[in-house]
Amino acid sequence: MRTSTIDADDLRGVFAVPPLARKVDAARSLDFEQSERIVRHVTSGGITRLIYGGNAFLYHLTLAEYEQLLDWLVHLDGCVIPSAGPDYGRAIDQATLLRTRRFPCVMVLPCSDPRDAVGLEAGYREIAEAANTKLILYLKDEENFGKDKEAGRDSIARLVDDGVCIGIKYAIVRDDPSRDDYLEDLLRRVDRKFIISGIGERPAIAHLSQWKLPGFTTGSGCIAPHASQLLFEACAEGDFKRAESLRSAFIPLEDLRDKWGPAQVLHAAVELAGIARTGPVPPFLSPATHEQLERILPDAQTLLQRNALIGRELAEAASL
């Protein structure tokens, strides 16, 4: 695993956000053998940056499970980024474990507990110092840094300027991602090289073409990594017509993720595609129903087939 701190240049690319498999036992134990199958599938498609966060249900890990996860992650190849938080007490406890293991950085999950911009900024500084690491901020809502949005953007900018924050996962959903006043104002404070699109393939083209963000995260790319990586390459080359064609394969599954829950649907889809046995979801969440599984199955399999076709085409091109 890479241990050196990432920099802005490392944000230029695709970041997979995989699910975390669990065993079908009384404790719903973490299943690293199956999780490694997911990682092998993702990296076989050319994606070597991994973030373990919401799709892995890190919000609901016990501290003991979190330590097990870190001990597994340090043995993976590539750029592997765990998450911490979302609350201060949990993150500080996790920081003790993170400090003894060298990760390129840590993403802090968005906090929905009582908070304001100045307080959250101070807490993030303490977490980064305790863990001896740089942070990726995860913006999922305009009020992630409190109700005073102006103060929130100022705090974000200071964290970037002071080198506490090395990246921002921008995941505020818009009906039209090409129109975003919050992002526009954030970019007046923070260089775009530090901000990646954080909501999968749906807004990725607009974020990369119009807002000039350097990369994007993907959940469904854990099923079709070849397609997700080629989508990024098409955007980087300015071939947005080809990028649109590649993105279209993701939309049916993305629609279901938006409808029934991004992480729950991805968890089920990876298993239904035959990539790995993801097992049960943790408490506070319910598994996909039988009717939902019947809807997810064809979309997951079609996406996997598209990935296999691209893989064969790439292999044939490489052999010429």
Side-chain angles (χ1 to χ4, degrees), residues 133-147:
T133 189
K134 305 292 186 182
L135 303 179
I136 290 180
L137 305 183
Y138 185 173
L139 295 182
K140 201 171 184 179
D141 185 273
E142 290 186 2
E143 295 186 358
N144 275 148
F145 269 71
K147 293 189 178 299

Side-chain angles (χ1 to χ4, degrees), residues 7 9 23 30 44 60 64 66 88 105 133 135 141 143 194 240 243 247 257 263 299 318:
D7 57 31
D9 289 340
K23 297 177 181 178
L30 299 180
S44 73
H60 303 305
Y66 189 74
Y88 174 80
C105 63
T133 189
L135 303 179
D141 185 273
E143 295 186 358
F194 293 109
F240 299 113
R247 184 182 64 172
R257 295 183 68 205
D299 291 341

Side-chain angles (χ1 to χ4, degrees), residues 1 32 58 65-75 82-83 94 96-101 103:
M1 183 198 74
F32 295 118
L58 257 67
E65 288 175 330
Y66 189 74
E67 184 169 20
Q68 293 169 21
L69 173 65
L70 297 184
D71 285 341
W72 174 65
L73 293 179
V74 297
H75 295 294
S83 297
Q94 292 169 332
T96 302
L97 302 175
L98 289 163
R99 189 177 185 87
T100 60
R101 300 159 177 85
F103 288 98

Side-chain angles (χ1 to χ4, degrees), residues 1-2 16-22 30-43 50-53 56 58 61 64-78 80-82 97-98 101-103 276:
M1 183 198 74
R2 172 178 173 167
V17 188
L20 186 61
R22 289 178 177 269
L30 299 180
D31 191 335
F32 295 118
E33 180 180 348
Q34 294 301 315
S35 291
E36 193 151 344
R37 289 172 62 93
I38 300 171
V39 172
R40 287 200 300 269
H41 179 73
V42 171
T43 56
L50 306 174
I51 300 176
Y52 280 82
L58 257 67
L61 256 62
E65 288 175 330
Y66 189 74
E67 184 169 20
Q68 293 169 21
L69 173 65
L70 297 184
D71 285 341
W72 174 65
L73 293 179
V74 297
H75 295 294
L76 298 181
D77 294 329
V80 183
I81 301 168
L97 302 175
L98 289 163
R101 300 159 177 85
R102 295 295 301 166
F103 288 98

